[in-house]
Amino acid sequence: MKKSKIKKLVSLLLALAMVFTLSACGDKKVDQSQGESDLAYVKKNGKIIVGYTDYAPMNYTDEKGNFTGFDTELTIAVCKKLGVEPEFVEINWDTKEVELNAKSIDCIWNGLTINEERKATMEITKPYVKNAQVVIVKKGDFYKGTASLIGKSVAAEQGSAGETTILEDDNLKKASFVPKTLQTEALMEVKAGTVDAAVLDLTLAKTMTGAGTSYDDIVIVDYLAEEDYGIAFRKNSDICAAVNKILDELTADGTMKKLADKYGLELSK
């Protein structure tokens, strides 16, 4: 082979090598952009997409048609300090983690019960509101502990702390569990007499039952489990630490106490 041809071949090989090198560098840049922090991601978007369900008094629409609630107002206050706008998106509670990881939402801010299983898969803030799981029945119905519900029907929101409470109670696990999409649906089942009892969050039960409500014939008859609420972000998200800092600030200036009093809630210590 002539020297001129050899030189042309070497030049071609070098050119091809350069193309592959530049291509590889380009791939690295893409990877780096995909690895931006969660906080940088939402700030770039200018908003946090908040996953919620209709759950009074945390997030709900009042009788005047206004979307409100403890978590709704708290989210707005926190986002103002973060420098982003909240965008509230109603979700299916049963697929909340799937939506979070798919970035359909950026957080779950809706009275989420903190437990070890959730802490293993999501980044959850410090506790901010106390809650409990309670048994509700129609007024006048016989109830003497969870043993009185063995063999009877008990409703709860599927995938909720209420369902967990039923499945972990030695007596309630012997009842016929009726899964519902929302806690309010479980409440409606008790009202209609289609189930014997339901296990709900205390926060919702206190707000929606008793005198002056549409469920004045429904009563809370038992407290089964105390728990704390937290705000969930994607695993290892740096938004969590930023929100924890803001929650401390809102506790110090009295905002948290004011909101808790307004919605009849007890703050976590």
Side-chain angles (χ1 to χ4, degrees):
M1 186 180 289
K2 292 182 179 180
K3 288 185 178 180
S4 60
K5 288 185 177 180
I6 293 174
K7 286 182 179 180
K8 286 182 180 179
L9 180 60
V10 170
S11 296
L12 179 61
L13 290 172
L14 287 172
L16 287 171
M18 183 65 73
V19 168
F20 285 124
T21 301
L22 290 173
S23 176
C25 289
D27 288 342
K28 286 181 181 177
K29 287 180 181 177
V30 171
D31 289 343
Q32 288 171 354
S33 68
Q34 290 174 344
E36 68 183 344
S37 80
D38 224 17
L39 185 57
Y41 169 74
V42 298
K43 287 201 169 187
K44 181 179 70 177
N45 291 337
K47 63 183 180 181
I48 286 182
I49 303 175
V50 181
Y52 80 96
T53 61
D54 184 2
Y55 170 32
M58 310 312 283
N59 308 88
Y60 66 102
T61 301
D62 65 19
E63 63 278 0
K64 295 180 181 178
N66 300 312
F67 182 63
T68 188
F70 177 88
D71 273 343
T72 305
E73 290 200 44
L74 180 58
T75 301
I76 292 169
V78 169
C79 285
K80 185 176 181 180
K81 283 180 170 284
L82 270 181
V84 295
E85 291 292 325
E87 179 181 322
F88 295 93
V89 175
E90 191 165 5
I91 61 172
N92 181 330
W93 193 251
D94 210 32
T95 58
K96 56 189 176 295
E97 290 184 54
V98 174
E99 295 202 45
L100 185 64
N101 291 324
K103 291 193 172 182
S104 300
I105 57 175
D106 297 311
C107 66
I108 303 164
W109 202 326
N110 188 226
L112 177 91
T113 301
I114 300 173
N115 60 37
E116 293 305 314
E117 183 180 355
R118 287 173 174 166
K119 285 165 68 176
T121 58
M122 298 183 286
E123 207 66 29
I124 302 179
T125 62
K126 63 179 66 177
Y128 69 107
V129 166
K130 291 196 75 63
N131 188 35
Q133 293 303 305
V134 296
V135 178
I136 62 167
V137 298
K138 269 195 170 183
K139 192 180 295 183
D141 280 1
F142 174 79
Y143 180 85
K144 192 174 182 181
T146 56
S148 61
L149 292 173
I150 293 174
K152 296 188 177 181
S153 54
V154 182
E157 180 181 9
Q158 190 169 20
S160 71
E163 178 183 5
T164 300
T165 300
I166 291 171
L167 298 178
E168 291 181 350
D169 184 277
D170 288 340
N171 295 319
L172 291 179
K173 68 174 61 174
K174 297 174 186 174
S176 176
F177 172 55
V178 180
K180 305 304 298 183
T181 302
L182 297 171
Q183 293 194 71
T184 47
E185 291 178 2
L187 178 58
M188 290 168 64
E189 293 276 2
V190 177
K191 174 77 172 179
T194 47
V195 298
D196 297 297
V199 178
L200 306 176
D201 289 337
L202 173 63
T203 50
L204 182 140
K206 280 179 62 178
T207 301
M208 296 196 69
T209 65
T213 72
S214 300
Y215 299 92
D216 56 359
D217 59 339
I218 305 297
V219 292
I220 298 170
V221 291
D222 208 350
Y223 285 66
L224 299 182
E226 290 191 357
E227 58 197 29
D228 289 295
Y229 286 159
I231 307 151
F233 300 90
R234 284 178 278 277
K235 191 63 180 174
N236 300 319
S237 172
D238 56 342
I239 306 175
C240 190
V243 170
N244 272 334
K245 182 180 178 182
I246 293 172
L247 291 178
D248 286 342
E249 293 171 1
L250 294 176
T251 298
D253 69 14
T255 300
M256 294 285 284
K257 178 67 166 58
K258 184 178 178 181
L259 283 176
D261 290 344
K262 178 179 179 179
Y263 290 100
L265 298 174
E266 183 181 343
L267 297 175
S268 296
K269 300 254 172 116

